[in-house]
Amino acid sequence: MPETAPSALITGGSRGIGARLAALLAADGIDVTITYRRRAEAAAEVVAGIRRRGGTAHATRVELEDPGDIDALFAGDAAFDFVVANAAASAFKPIAQLSTSNLQRSWETNVRSFVLLAQRAAERMPRGGRIIAVTSYGAHRAFPDYAAIGADKAALEAWVRHLAAELGPRGITVNAVNGGLIDTESLHHFYDLDGMPALEDVTAHVPLGRAGTPDEMAHAIRFLLGEAAGYITGQTIVVDGGLTITAPPFWKDVRRAQTPTQEEER
């Protein structure tokens, strides 16, 4: 009797990083379930594309603010070997303008849902497993209109450490992948907000000189889900082209040659 294929749950899998990760994992022979909130057609296209390439995939609508929807993912004997909390949503506003509802919904969607997913998934990982939270550089750096979700992403990375310590004896690793300026719809939506600088002006400060791609994020997540990362847990892997290692004055703004002189080389 053939061994059952490993399974993965990816929240927010209808576009961007989630969609690309779903395609990669399905190509590895993993049975993929993606969740979506509003984009049913896009989710269906992701699933159809995977199936055309011979993979196995499913899509289901989930409202992450609703604990009942999260419970429904694990109805009956449903279980997943890999869980990737990729979906996120929040209000992009100055702190003074954040309402009680903004704060509550952001926390429920980004933080509480991850904890509940980890709880439910871990209950059904008798032989170990992998849990990943997708975070962003707003967890480590402060910038305009990002406080609500940035603080939530920082909380996720704290939860990753606590979960890793508690679930480690059961063979479950828990990690985070922190993305910088990744070329997704969400990035362009943020930089289209009133008053934001041009995206190309911001990416010019990235040491690699460009935004990252969903593919680059997806490959980092895929690595942490694989056997080669079996001894990595409680960590945050940063995928940002060097964005968060820099500080003013930026190399981009230096008005002299950036190569050492002959005298300096000696």
Side-chain angles (χ1 to χ4, degrees):
M1 189 172 183
E3 189 174 322
T4 304
S7 59
L9 172 68
I10 304 168
T11 67
S14 66
R15 57 178 176 156
I17 297 164
R20 184 62 190 128
L21 178 63
L24 285 176
L25 297 185
D28 290 338
I30 295 169
D31 182 357
V32 175
T33 295
I34 63 171
T35 77
Y36 65 93
R37 185 185 180 201
R38 295 176 179 168
R39 299 174 178 240
E41 290 186 8
E45 289 175 9
V46 172
V47 168
I50 288 172
R51 290 176 177 174
R52 281 195 300 271
R53 294 186 290 272
T56 306
H58 322 270
T60 183
R61 184 185 182 283
V62 172
E63 177 54 75
L64 291 173
E65 291 178 63
D66 184 351
D69 274 18
I70 295 173
D71 287 342
L73 288 169
F74 299 90
D77 59 355
F80 302 97
D81 300 290
F82 312 123
V83 172
V84 180
N86 169 67
S90 191
F92 297 128
K93 297 179 180 180
I95 295 171
Q97 296 177 17
L98 290 168
S99 67
T100 301
S101 176
N102 293 151
L103 295 170
Q104 179 175 335
R105 295 190 67 187
S106 185
W107 177 78
E108 289 176 351
T109 300
N110 301 307
V111 183
R112 186 179 70 182
S113 67
F114 172 67
V115 178
L116 295 178
L117 282 167
Q119 287 176 333
R120 304 295 178 268
E123 290 169 356
R124 304 195 179 188
M125 290 178 170
R127 294 179 299 279
R130 303 275 195 273
I131 298 172
I132 305 285
V134 177
T135 66
S136 77
Y137 73 107
H140 303 164
R141 300 290 187 271
F143 50 91
D145 296 355
Y146 205 79
I149 191 168
D152 286 345
K153 295 293 190 180
L156 283 180
E157 294 182 6
W159 274 105
V160 160
R161 293 188 289 273
H162 285 278
L163 285 163
E166 186 166 327
L167 298 178
R170 295 164 55 183
I172 300 170
T173 67
V174 188
N175 291 289
V177 177
N178 181 305
L181 296 165
I182 307 300
D183 192 5
T184 62
E185 286 183 35
S186 296
L187 179 71
H188 290 279
H189 170 73
F190 183 80
Y191 279 94
D192 283 342
L193 295 175
D194 183 47
M196 286 295 166
L199 180 57
E200 56 267 28
D201 292 340
V202 179
T203 54
H205 289 288
V206 176
L208 291 184
R210 62 174 177 84
T213 67
D215 196 63
E216 288 167 323
M217 281 289 287
H219 276 285
I221 297 167
R222 180 190 184 208
F223 165 71
L224 287 174
L225 296 175
E227 290 184 10
Y231 202 58
I232 300 173
T233 195
Q235 304 304 308
T236 295
I237 306 299
V238 179
V239 182
D240 70 353
L243 175 64
T244 55
I245 65 168
T246 62
F250 297 104
W251 275 107
K252 165 189 171 294
D253 300 324
V254 174
R255 303 305 181 194
R256 60 173 167 75
Q258 296 178 17
T259 55
T261 65
Q262 187 174 13
E263 182 178 348
E264 287 169 333
E265 286 177 338
R266 289 200 213 99

